[in-house]
Amino acid sequence: MFYDRSMAGQSERGGTIANPSSKPPSEGEPAVEKTQEVTSDSTEHYFPDGGLEAWLVVFGGWCCLFTSLGWVNSIGVFQDYYENNQLKGYPPGNIAWILSTETFVMLMGAPIVGKIFDGYGPRYLLAFGTFFHIFGLMMASLSSEYYQFFLAQGICSAMGASALLFSATNCTGTWFSKRRALVFGIISSGASLGGVIVPTMAAELIPKIGFSWTMRAIAFLFLALLIIANFTVKSRLTHEPTPFRAMEFITPLTEPAFLCLTSASFFFYWGLFLPVNFISLQAESNGMPTRLADYMLSILNASSIVGRILPAWLGDRVGRFNIMIVTTYLSVILVLALWIPAKGDSPIIAFSALYGFSTGAFLAMVPALVAQLSDVRKLGVRTGTNFFVLSLATLTGNPIGGALVSQNNGGYLYLQIFCGATMFIGSTFFVASRTAQCGLKWKRI
């Protein structure tokens, strides 16, 4: 008899049923510890967890995240560039609204993309996302006014990136169960590599060919990857449209574990991207040469590649929530104990590398935690609920950071304290979500 030994509590929602011969759970344990695979004519309850078709989906998903979240991971370099060039007459907080809106629109689209995905699959979403993301970047290459950057980069490109990001993550979740955190880590590493390559391209190409052609070069690179994604990303499920009901997005928040997970995502994300978007400016303010400061974001994203894969691999073995709690609290320690006192080049470089590693786990594993608490047939909607709430943090995080820098007369201490405090609250909510599932005792979950 075949038993699925994936995360506890996953069976009822992930397409498996409790083994009737197993012992009743003791007090404080989840209701399902050992589960038996469903056998039926439908394949929706069966997770291949491998095979050529499944791994091609992972490769296509990697391409999608390189071009979507990888682009968002790179926008910090444009904060610095816009402040000193096209938008130098605007305060940092106003420029940050473009970048915050871009991230917000990308994540806010999760419920819409999720509902369309659950009903129709990824095909139309991938085509939509490819067109609007590339079109937005091309229009940004022609922009010179604030409103033009806002519309092209903050709205148009972000709408396309949203369709790409959530199509890829939702599809991947339909193919894997036991290795779910690992494969989310693998596709998420595309975002990290994108966050290395795009800032490097910008730093090297802008002085040589100018801003406009640099943006076009990035857009053509993305287009090549998205052609691959359109041919490889597919869902394993049979999709059937259902009527739109607002309550289906709200109902998950009535579950204590899911509510705490969503709260954790919101607070942690509120502070998460402040170092990503301000590390170069903060390094320059501490005397780091501009040329070296421009590479802080690349260093952060390079270490994030390992941070997205290794903790995810461990999470599938010792518990995804367990690993998430460790890595999120580690991020808080790095912000409060290393970034705040860092003054010279070496500690700032060390912070960039270590912070990239520790936060990589969060970015890779949130979709896996949502899937762990969800029925795979409702994965799009439940992912949408989580990321919509999370998007509210991205909308306000950067402007608050910019305002705190201004309030601190150009210093970064207020921003750093806000970053550490919000991430600490988020980490504590991850503990609460785990506690809602199995109490405080040690368990693989």
Side-chain angles (χ1 to χ4, degrees), residues 208-232:
K208 297 176 182 177
I209 62 176
F211 172 79
S212 296
W213 275 106
T214 297
M215 291 291 286
R216 292 166 198 154
I218 293 169
F220 282 125
L221 171 63
F222 286 1
L223 179 61
L225 293 172
L226 291 174
I227 290 172
I228 296 173
N230 274 268
F231 283 102
T232 55

Side-chain angles (χ1 to χ4, degrees), residues 250-271:
I250 299 173
T251 300
L253 298 177
T254 63
E255 304 167 16
F258 194 92
L259 176 62
C260 289
L261 171 61
T262 302
S263 301
S265 301
F266 172 85
F267 281 103
F268 197 84
Y269 222 89
W270 211 7

Side-chain angles (χ1 to χ4, degrees), residues 305-325:
I305 297 174
V306 180
R308 291 171 191 250
I309 297 175
L310 180 58
W313 177 81
L314 288 172
D316 283 332
R317 284 154 178 77
V318 302
R320 296 160 191 159
F321 275 92
N322 299 333
I323 293 298
M324 180 68 92
I325 290 167

Side-chain angles (χ1 to χ4, degrees), residues 246-400:
M247 281 304 299
E248 65 184 331
F249 295 98
I250 299 173
T251 300
L253 298 177
T254 63
E255 304 167 16
F258 194 92
L259 176 62
C260 289
L261 171 61
T262 302
S263 301
S265 301
F266 172 85
F267 281 103
F268 197 84
Y269 222 89
W270 211 7
L272 172 66
F273 272 97
L274 292 177
V276 174
N277 292 328
F278 287 92
I279 188 67
S280 296
L281 292 170
Q282 188 263 345
E284 285 186 59
S285 72
N286 278 281
M288 181 180 288
T290 301
R291 184 77 170 174
L292 179 58
D294 286 341
Y295 282 96
M296 290 303 99
L297 191 57
S298 294
I299 292 171
L300 189 153
N301 282 310
S303 63
S304 181
I305 297 174
V306 180
R308 291 171 191 250
I309 297 175
L310 180 58
W313 177 81
L314 288 172
D316 283 332
R317 284 154 178 77
V318 302
R320 296 160 191 159
F321 275 92
N322 299 333
I323 293 298
M324 180 68 92
I325 290 167
V326 171
T327 54
T328 52
Y329 275 119
L330 174 60
S331 300
V332 175
I333 293 170
L334 290 172
V335 169
L336 298 179
L338 179 56
W339 194 27
I340 289 179
K343 300 301 179 185
D345 293 355
S346 296
I348 294 176
I349 293 172
F351 168 77
S352 297
L354 294 172
Y355 184 80
F357 175 85
S358 64
T359 56
F362 170 83
L363 293 166
M365 291 178 62
V366 164
L369 298 186
V370 173
Q372 184 170 319
L373 298 176
S374 303
D375 182 335
V376 69
R377 292 162 296 184
K378 299 178 181 178
L379 186 56
V381 166
R382 292 170 70 90
T383 299
T385 296
N386 179 269
F387 276 88
F388 176 79
V389 174
L390 187 152
S391 71
L392 302 176
T394 66
L395 179 65
T396 56
N398 279 345
I400 288 174

